[in-house]
Amino acid sequence: MRISILSILVLIAFIPHLASAQEGGESTRTCRILYLSPNSSSPSKKLQLFDGKSCREVALPRMNLSKIHKLEPGRLTLRMLSEPIVDPFIVPEGAPSVVIPENLQHIYLLVVSDLKNKVAPVKMRVVNANHDQIGRGEMLWFNLTKSTVGGQIGSQKLNIKPGAQTLLKEPARGRKGYPVQIYFQVPGDKFIHPLKETRWRHDPSSRTIAFIMVNGKRRAPQILTFSDYRIPEKKEPDAP
């Protein structure tokens, strides 16, 4: 079979672009862990994340996202263990587990305490963090309470039911502060109660993950927000 000089030149020109795409992060599957339980119920040591082939030791940071963990492509079942295992075909029965669908390139792994589980005292939940799911400057909200929460987040309106999630577009433009007014309503109560009135600062270079959570024995929930800068910069088109 004869290959033309033009075909060879096209192939040579394409190789750097292929390498650049692989190194740019889009072809790398990633996971970041966020531990959402009180520090008092945190496991006394780091746990092991098992991906079906091998274990890795992972931290459970509560007030920050974990470092980025790389995952294998395809459909995966992740399990959390207290100790590493020697044989990948022998996994302790009852180990906390979640399934990662093949189409999820990037995920957040939300972890909460489950003291009833003797293999590892946690439960896990997967959140889609694909770059087309939430972009720079946007906010992904999760309501983990039984209260309905709403209000004004800069230029965006928030209205989120118990157990739901919602995406807010950029609440402001540029690096500047914006007003925040949030209210909540508990089940069986017709009154709307103030929860937060403040100003937040917009960072267009990151995306924000926000959790509405139970605040101990208090009726009013609490709000925790986390910034994620892992999205690669968008390449500007070449000038004509």
Side-chain angles (χ1 to χ4, degrees):
M1 179 177 65
R2 299 178 61 186
I3 302 177
S4 68
I5 297 297
L6 178 60
S7 298
I8 295 175
L9 292 176
V10 170
L11 179 61
I12 292 174
F14 176 73
I15 289 175
H17 294 284
L18 177 61
S20 175
Q22 291 176 339
E23 294 171 1
E26 283 299 311
S27 62
T28 300
R29 200 178 201 189
T30 66
C31 164
R32 297 192 78 175
I33 300 172
L34 182 60
Y35 184 60
L36 295 176
S37 293
N39 291 333
S40 59
S41 61
S42 175
S44 58
K45 59 181 180 180
K46 294 182 179 180
L47 297 180
Q48 299 287 327
L49 186 65
F50 177 62
D51 62 5
K53 295 181 179 179
S54 60
C55 286
R56 74 188 76 179
E57 187 178 72
V58 294
L60 300 180
R62 182 174 183 271
M63 299 308 295
N64 196 8
L65 289 162
S66 75
K67 70 176 186 180
I68 296 176
H69 298 285
K70 295 182 180 179
L71 300 177
E72 294 295 325
R75 188 177 186 272
L76 286 180
T77 297
L78 298 180
R79 293 180 174 87
M80 200 73 82
L81 308 168
S82 294
E83 302 290 342
I85 57 177
V86 177
D87 189 339
F89 295 100
I90 303 178
V91 182
E93 185 177 354
S97 64
V98 289
V99 174
I100 313 298
E102 184 177 0
N103 65 328
L104 294 192
Q105 182 72 10
H106 306 284
I107 68 166
Y108 296 117
L109 189 60
L110 308 185
V111 180
V112 297
S113 292
D114 180 13
L115 300 181
K116 295 180 180 179
N117 195 308
K118 303 303 180 184
V119 178
V122 295
K123 291 180 181 178
M124 297 186 291
R125 172 180 171 182
V126 174
V127 172
N128 184 352
N130 283 353
H131 299 161
D132 60 354
Q133 179 74 7
I134 172 174
R136 287 186 182 275
E138 297 180 341
M139 307 180 78
L140 186 59
W141 285 76
F142 296 88
N143 188 352
L144 306 181
T145 74
K146 295 181 180 180
S147 300
T148 298
V149 177
Q152 192 73 28
I153 312 294
S155 61
Q156 303 297 314
K157 289 188 179 297
L158 175 68
N159 185 12
I160 182 168
K161 301 295 184 181
Q165 70 181 64
T166 188
L167 177 68
L168 295 187
K169 297 299 183 180
E170 288 188 271
R173 294 291 182 181
R175 297 179 183 273
K176 62 180 181 180
Y178 58 89
V180 173
Q181 290 183 319
I182 303 177
Y183 306 88
F184 73 100
Q185 186 176 27
V186 299
D189 187 347
K190 64 179 181 180
F191 295 102
I192 297 176
H193 305 275
L195 177 60
K196 185 178 288 289
E197 183 173 358
T198 184
R199 290 184 67 86
W200 288 345
R201 185 169 179 80
H202 180 55
D203 186 348
S205 66
S206 75
R207 53 186 179 179
T208 300
I209 314 300
F211 297 95
I212 305 165
M213 303 176 59
V214 175
N215 190 8
K217 295 182 179 181
R218 298 180 181 178
R219 182 175 63 168
Q222 64 175 328
I223 297 175
L224 298 177
T225 60
F226 304 88
S227 297
D228 187 354
Y229 295 85
R230 81 166 115 178
I231 305 179
E233 294 284 355
K234 293 181 179 180
K235 184 180 179 181
E236 296 296 332
D238 295 331

